[in-house]
């Protein structure tokens, strides 16, 4: 492991040197790629240097124990070893976790789409509940959630809602939310108290940056229409809403949340770019295969991943068999346990199959 850590340190120094070169600083795409690598390697190098220091202290203490004739000094060294050896073991475990190959998209922001599925009005209400759950989770994480587009449900909630979530390690924490979420409860409209099952599907896409996808604007058709959502006096009076169609793939993205046509265009373009990027990412994941067939599931929007059972106050993630009996707490945005268990499962799979 030490040889690998030393190689990482050397690469860290090399990247640091490259980042200061004028030709790299003038190439924004290369600079961004190297800067991201520099930050990731930096976490490992900091841990490695601290580990080296502890190993050095252990060696010094052992030297004292074996050579020092003063009994008091020897006892002090032994006590120091009692603290240092467990600390070195702990640091070794932490470093091994840092060395596990990570998803390169984990640090990206995301585009999240929530759509009501089977269940009529109740499915739309559930989609609204999920949106509030993720909003509260985002707030607890210090993230920013922005509305991109929404289609309201007839009885409340949403038939469909598209959100942009920005912050630190957003995709890394939300990517496992993709799939079908199922709710079992008595709808407000149910007069006989029967439990209904409804579903909503969620798609979490890493927000593609301009450097990730090279879009030819000649391949994109732009349509303008009157906004029907929030927007003050401009609603139904100006053609500020934007719909973009990528002609080669037929993929469509739209935004009507902003009063400004330009801002709506930028948001819609971001969603379009991310949807196209998701297709390319799916092809890559299919080619790699192993991770997507692991216990954490494929992330496919057709996978039934979680059930929210209101009568029993239970939430179960079917991919890892993890259940909690505190549904109100979960719906208030406290999904940290699920996120952590799923990330641990992914780390175990990556360590097993060696996929980066």
């Amino acid at each position: 492991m030490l040889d690998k850590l030393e190689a990482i340190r050397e690469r860290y120094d090399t990247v640091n040197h490259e980042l200061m070169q004028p030709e790299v600083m003038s190439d924004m795409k290369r600079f961004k790629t190297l800067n991201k690598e520099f930050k990731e390697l930096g976490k490992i190098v900091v841990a490695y240097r601290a580990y080296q220091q502890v190993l050095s202290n252990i060696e010094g203490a052992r030297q004292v124990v074996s050579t020092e004739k003063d009994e008091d000094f020897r006892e002090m060294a032994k006590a120091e070893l009692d603290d240092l050896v467990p600390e070195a073991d702990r640091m070794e475990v932490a470093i091994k976790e840092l060395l596990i190959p990570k998803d390169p998209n984990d640090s990206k922001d995301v585009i999240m789409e929530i759509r009501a599925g089977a269940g009529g009005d109740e499915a739309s209400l559930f989609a609204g509940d999920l949106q509030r759950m993720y909003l509260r989770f985002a707030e607890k994480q210090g993230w920013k959630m922005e509305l991109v587009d929404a289609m309201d449900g007839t009885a409340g909630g949403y038939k469909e809602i598209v959100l942009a979530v920005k912050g630190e390690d957003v995709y890394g924490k939300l990517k496992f939310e993709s799939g079908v979420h199922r709710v079992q409860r008595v709808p407000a409209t149910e007069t006989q108290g029967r439990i209904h099952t409804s579903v909503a599907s969620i798609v979490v896409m890493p927000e593609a940056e301009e450097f990730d996808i090279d879009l030819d604007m000649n391949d994109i058709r732009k349509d303008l229409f009157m906004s029907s959502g929030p927007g003050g006096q401009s609603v139904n009076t100006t053609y500020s809403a934007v719909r973009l169609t990528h002609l080669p793939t037929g993929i469509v993205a739209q935004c009507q949340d902003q009063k400004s046509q330009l801002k709506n265009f930028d948001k819609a373009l971001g969603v379009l770019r991310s949807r196209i990027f998701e297709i390319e990412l799916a092809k890559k994941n299919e080619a790699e295969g192993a991770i997507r067939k692991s216990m954490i599931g494929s992330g496919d929007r057709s996978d039934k991943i979680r059930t929210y059972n209101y009568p029993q106050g239970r939430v179960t993630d079917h991919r890892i068999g993890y259940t909690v009996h505190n549904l109100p707490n979960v719906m208030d945005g406290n999904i940290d346990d699920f996120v952590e268990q799923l990330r641990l499962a992914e780390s175990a799979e990556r360590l097993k199959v060696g996929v980066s």
Side-chain angles (χ1 to χ4, degrees), residues 73-98:
F73 277 122
R74 291 182 45 149
E75 288 302 318
M76 288 173 60
K78 288 179 182 178
E80 189 176 5
L81 281 173
D82 288 341
D83 293 332
L84 288 173
V85 172
E87 176 67 8
D89 293 340
R90 184 196 65 76
M91 295 176 80
E92 183 176 342
V93 171
I95 289 173
K96 284 180 178 178
E97 290 180 0
L98 287 173

Side-chain angles (χ1 to χ4, degrees), residues 107-265:
S107 60
K108 289 184 179 293
D109 297 332
V110 308
I111 300 294
M112 172 180 276
E113 301 176 351
I114 305 174
R115 294 186 180 88
D121 289 341
E122 172 64 7
S124 295
L125 292 170
F126 180 49
D129 292 339
L130 290 175
Q131 185 272 331
R132 285 188 291 274
M133 180 182 78
Y134 290 120
L135 173 61
R136 286 165 184 161
F137 179 65
E139 290 172 345
K140 296 173 193 294
Q141 299 295 314
W143 298 341
K144 182 179 181 182
M145 179 178 282
E146 299 177 351
L147 175 66
V148 176
D149 194 37
M151 184 183 302
D152 294 335
T154 54
Y158 300 100
K159 291 182 179 178
E160 177 181 339
I161 183 168
V162 182
L163 305 156
V165 188
K166 302 180 183 297
E168 183 177 350
D169 198 27
V170 181
Y171 185 67
K173 292 185 178 180
L174 287 181
K175 61 185 175 182
F176 303 121
E177 298 304 302
S178 285
V180 174
H181 294 238
R182 181 173 61 178
V183 63
Q184 295 172 327
R185 64 186 179 188
V186 179
T189 55
E190 171 59 52
T191 57
Q192 298 182 27
R194 292 175 297 187
I195 297 173
H196 288 225
T197 298
S198 304
V199 299
S201 65
I202 293 178
V203 179
V204 177
M205 301 173 288
E207 186 171 15
E209 300 174 62
E210 186 178 348
F211 304 122
D212 295 324
I213 292 291
D214 186 17
L215 284 181
D216 185 346
M217 296 308 295
N218 293 321
D219 291 337
I220 299 175
R221 187 181 73 227
K222 175 182 175 182
D223 298 308
L224 304 177
F225 59 100
M226 291 183 180
S227 174
S228 59
Q233 295 179 350
S234 64
V235 175
N236 292 325
T237 58
T238 61
Y239 286 86
S240 60
V242 176
R243 180 182 297 111
L244 301 179
T245 304
H246 187 241
L247 299 176
T249 62
I251 294 175
V252 178
Q254 69 179 42
C255 180
Q256 57 178 328
D257 180 55
Q258 303 293 318
K259 296 180 182 179
S260 163
Q261 182 189 126
L262 182 60
K263 289 182 179 179
N264 281 331
F265 174 82

